[in-house]
Amino acid sequence: MRAGVYDSGVGGLTVAKSLIGHRLFDEIVYFGDTARVPYGTKEPQTIIKYSLEALEYLKTFDIDIMIVACNTVSAHALGELQKNAPFEVFGVIEPGVLAVANRLKNKDASILILGTKATINSGQYEKLLRQKGYSNLISLSPSLFVPIVEEGLFEGEVLQSAIEYYLKDIKQDPDAVILGCTHFPLISKALQAHFPKSVLIHSGEAIVEYLESKCSLTKSKNQTTLKLLASDNVKTLEYTADLWLKN
Ligand code: DGL
């Protein structure tokens, strides 16, 4: 089975890594819209337009299923993609919410949602979490985490200052922290050190859990092959994949 994995840029490689690790597909065709990243600061109609263009492009690769790795696209364009695609399209928000529900049985649990401005403004995580009965929610958009990760600063003083800056008002460890942006799993060690008692929810692991429970996928016997496509600077995407996908 060939999956198309779509992201606004390089960040979706964190989701691709989980899919590859669990051998859910024979082949992944990854498209990062690196010419137009970031999406997280854009208007919903722009995100929808870019997403529909990406869909048309991915259709030419004869994919069987599309995984939207990008939280921002999942928040704003999933419905449009599903309407226009001849194959199934899955986003990462519902899987993230189900991953929370599988781990936190107490509906009074406190949940911190971290995402881009566009993801947080969409209110999608909050809406789905409320539907599941959770109401103790805080949403934050730590925008600087994205460029910090892209600089490869997975630890150290720059990251620590950003963590202190954005999370200073949260005095108690939330029961769960949703890493609602493709980049945030790469700084999960530092976030876990900041909130040692919290369960961190990773979009990649959540979508694997979701696909395994909802779709009858036969695991690939061989290692998943990865084809990398980008709307600009494919070399940077390849370099980042070498770095992030090892181990
Ligand atoms: N991929 C985006 C997300 O997961 C983060 C980067 C961007 O703003 O495009 O929301």
Side-chain angles (χ1 to χ4, degrees):
M1 199 177 196
R2 181 181 294 150
V5 174
Y6 166 45
D7 183 52
S8 56
V10 298
L13 289 168
T14 57
V15 173
K17 185 174 183 172
S18 302
L19 297 170
I20 292 168
H22 290 265
R23 294 197 179 182
L24 290 197
F25 304 108
D26 303 304
E27 187 180 358
I28 287 178
V29 179
Y30 180 99
F31 172 59
D33 193 3
T34 47
R36 304 191 286 197
V37 71
Y39 283 14
T41 49
K42 301 212 161 50
E43 294 278 335
Q45 60 271 30
T46 309
I47 297 163
I48 292 171
K49 176 176 175 285
Y50 290 173
S51 302
L52 291 175
E53 287 170 10
L55 170 65
E56 289 311 310
Y57 182 51
L58 278 171
K59 273 185 193 169
T60 65
F61 291 89
D62 203 19
I63 57 172
D64 305 299
I65 182 174
M66 180 171 175
I67 311 286
V68 177
C70 182
N71 279 264
T72 303
V73 172
S74 302
H76 289 283
L78 187 64
E80 284 299 319
L81 288 170
Q82 286 169 334
K83 253 194 264 164
N84 289 283
F87 34 70
E88 283 199 281
V89 184
F90 295 93
V92 286
I93 295 190
E94 195 188 337
V97 169
L98 285 181
V100 170
N102 288 339
R103 285 160 183 78
L104 303 181
K105 298 296 166 204
N106 177 2
K107 301 292 179 187
D108 295 327
S110 53
I111 303 167
L112 171 64
I113 305 150
L114 301 177
T116 63
K117 285 200 169 69
T119 297
I120 297 305
N121 289 343
S122 77
Q124 279 298 317
Y125 273 110
E126 293 213 5
K127 184 175 137 201
L128 296 186
L129 285 164
R130 282 185 202 285
Q131 282 171 6
K132 293 250 169 250
Y134 300 99
S135 56
N136 191 357
L137 312 174
I138 300 177
S139 294
L140 278 182
S141 177
S143 308
L144 287 175
F145 287 0
V146 171
I148 286 174
V149 167
E150 293 203 357
E151 278 296 300
L153 303 173
F154 304 150
E155 55 186 15
E157 58 183 311
V158 174
L159 175 61
Q160 277 315 318
S161 322
I163 289 179
E164 297 299 331
Y165 173 72
Y166 287 111
L167 305 179
K168 61 181 174 307
D169 293 332
I170 301 172
K171 305 289 182 210
Q172 268 187 353
D173 294 14
D175 293 306
V177 178
I178 298 182
L179 307 177
C181 172
T182 47
H183 291 59
F184 299 171
L186 287 151
I187 50 167
S188 58
K189 225 167 146 186
L191 291 169
Q192 188 75 79
H194 189 83
F195 292 130
K197 295 196 196 121
S198 306
V199 174
L200 303 188
I201 305 293
H202 177 315
S203 296
E205 296 306 310
I207 184 99
V208 166
E209 213 169 287
Y210 185 87
L211 291 172
E212 284 182 337
S213 72
K214 303 264 172 191
C215 309
S216 42
L217 294 174
T218 334
K219 284 206 178 198
S220 175
K221 286 190 207 75
N222 304 314
Q223 215 156 1
T224 308
T225 56
L226 178 65
K227 183 180 179 66
L228 294 171
L229 306 164
S231 50
D232 184 45
N233 212 340
V234 75
K235 287 265 168 293
T236 302
L237 178 64
E238 286 166 358
Y239 174 79
T240 311
D242 273 349
L243 220 61
W244 291 5
L245 299 184
K246 65 178 180 216
N247 347 284

